[in-house]
Amino acid sequence: MKKLVLISCLTALTFSCKDKATQETKEKEITAENTIKEVPTKNEWTVLFDGSNLDNLKLYGNDNAIENWKIEGDALVFHPPTNRPKDTHYNLVSKKEYTNFVLSIDWKISEGGNSGIFWGIKDDGTYGQPYETGLEVQVLDNQKHPDAKNGTDRQAGALYDLVAPSKDATKPVGEWNTTVITINHNTNKGSSVLNGVTVAEFPLEGEEWNSLLENSKFNGWDGFAKYKTGKIGVQDHGDVVSYRNIKIKELN
């Protein structure tokens, strides 16, 4: 009789433990599910433009409707106006500011065309153009634009007028190129990758940076490269240019 009671107790205890374990497992699953839903994963890509809308972009210095930039398929295409009002520009910038990031963007330049990709832009009405504050990776037709012959630090992929690309990694005019720009002030490192080739690497401050700046057209510019946190932008340089797949990943 005692043996039967003992077996019954052990059986009850076993099922009790299983029920408790099952309940704990369910609670852990619910907690994990809530954690996934409520806590965003860090270092994810944020899409600035994917062909569907212009919600994350605006004209530099102008919060009104975007002009002369049109969505064509999955691309954002700039068509320069034929009768441009004096001192009017249509540079496009992100609505949000960024500090440390990886920016990926596809671009296609027209024959003989020129444009650029900026970061660190101050858009508060103090400056008239993004290039007065923001650094630029050059977008260019290396074969037919005169800037390509005016010093290699103005070729496609260059940190404009500061660091020349290690090679011409561009595709022929009319084909899409991919530029990936990494800016990390925590490590004092920046880089420009063109079509999978690292074409330029550069510091963001310090003696080496100061030397680069002193030997460039930007020497003495009050606002240039002064803002670690700023907007991302693409340039109206008066030529037809297309951009697509614009996305950014913020770095810790």
Side-chain angles (χ1 to χ4, degrees):
M1 184 68 175
K2 290 181 180 179
K3 185 181 290 186
L4 181 60
V5 171
L6 180 59
I7 292 172
S8 298
C9 290
L10 289 173
T11 302
L13 182 60
T14 300
F15 279 110
S16 175
C17 291
K18 285 183 177 179
D19 289 342
K20 184 177 180 181
T22 301
Q23 181 63 30
E24 288 176 350
T25 300
K26 287 181 178 179
E27 289 175 355
K28 287 179 181 178
E29 288 175 351
I30 292 171
T31 302
E33 183 180 358
N34 290 342
T35 300
I36 291 171
K37 289 181 179 179
E38 295 175 4
V39 181
T41 303
K42 294 181 180 180
N43 296 333
E44 289 187 341
W45 289 104
T46 297
V47 175
L48 297 182
F49 176 78
D50 63 1
S52 60
N53 60 68
L54 298 171
D55 292 350
N56 296 314
L57 304 170
K58 64 181 285 295
L59 287 178
Y60 177 79
N62 189 340
D63 294 330
N64 297 323
I66 293 175
E67 299 179 55
N68 298 99
W69 292 90
K70 305 295 181 185
I71 297 177
E72 299 178 4
D74 64 348
L76 179 59
V77 184
F78 177 67
H79 297 279
T82 53
N83 297 306
R84 183 192 296 264
K86 186 178 180 180
D87 298 326
T88 301
H89 301 275
Y90 303 95
N91 301 291
L92 212 57
V93 297
S94 60
K95 291 181 179 179
K96 184 179 175 181
E97 294 185 329
Y98 300 91
T99 306
N100 300 312
F101 59 85
V102 180
L103 174 70
S104 179
I105 181 169
D106 297 344
W107 57 269
K108 181 169 61 175
I109 193 67
S110 56
E111 186 174 342
N114 185 340
S115 184
I117 305 164
F118 295 100
W119 67 93
I121 298 170
K122 191 68 173 178
D123 182 23
D124 64 353
T126 304
Y127 303 93
Q129 290 275 8
Y131 62 72
E132 294 182 56
T133 54
L135 289 97
E136 174 189 359
V137 162
Q138 178 78 300
V139 169
L140 198 77
D141 173 5
N142 280 353
Q143 301 305 312
K144 294 192 175 181
H145 194 283
D147 258 13
K149 300 175 179 61
N150 188 22
T152 56
D153 56 13
R154 296 188 178 186
Q155 290 184 344
L159 179 63
Y160 180 77
D161 210 64
L162 290 158
V163 179
S166 58
K167 63 178 295 185
D168 182 356
T170 56
K171 295 181 180 180
V173 167
E175 294 187 19
W176 286 102
N177 298 269
T178 298
T179 285
V180 177
I181 300 168
T182 300
I183 300 298
N184 193 334
H185 291 279
N186 296 325
T187 59
N188 193 30
K189 291 181 179 180
S191 66
S192 166
V193 176
L194 180 57
N195 296 323
V197 179
T198 301
V199 294
E201 294 179 292
F202 44 89
L204 303 171
E205 60 183 356
E207 291 185 8
E208 184 182 352
W209 167 253
N210 292 336
S211 177
L212 289 171
L213 192 60
E214 288 171 4
N215 290 288
S216 75
K217 65 180 285 185
F218 304 111
N219 189 25
W221 289 30
D222 291 337
F224 182 75
K226 293 296 193 297
Y227 301 95
K228 290 184 178 180
T229 299
K231 294 184 174 181
I232 305 296
V234 290
Q235 187 182 35
D236 156 21
H237 202 281
D239 300 310
V240 175
V241 63
S242 303
Y243 293 99
R244 70 178 184 186
N245 297 331
I246 307 175
K247 59 184 181 179
I248 192 165
K249 180 190 296 184
E250 294 188 76
L251 302 175
N252 295 333

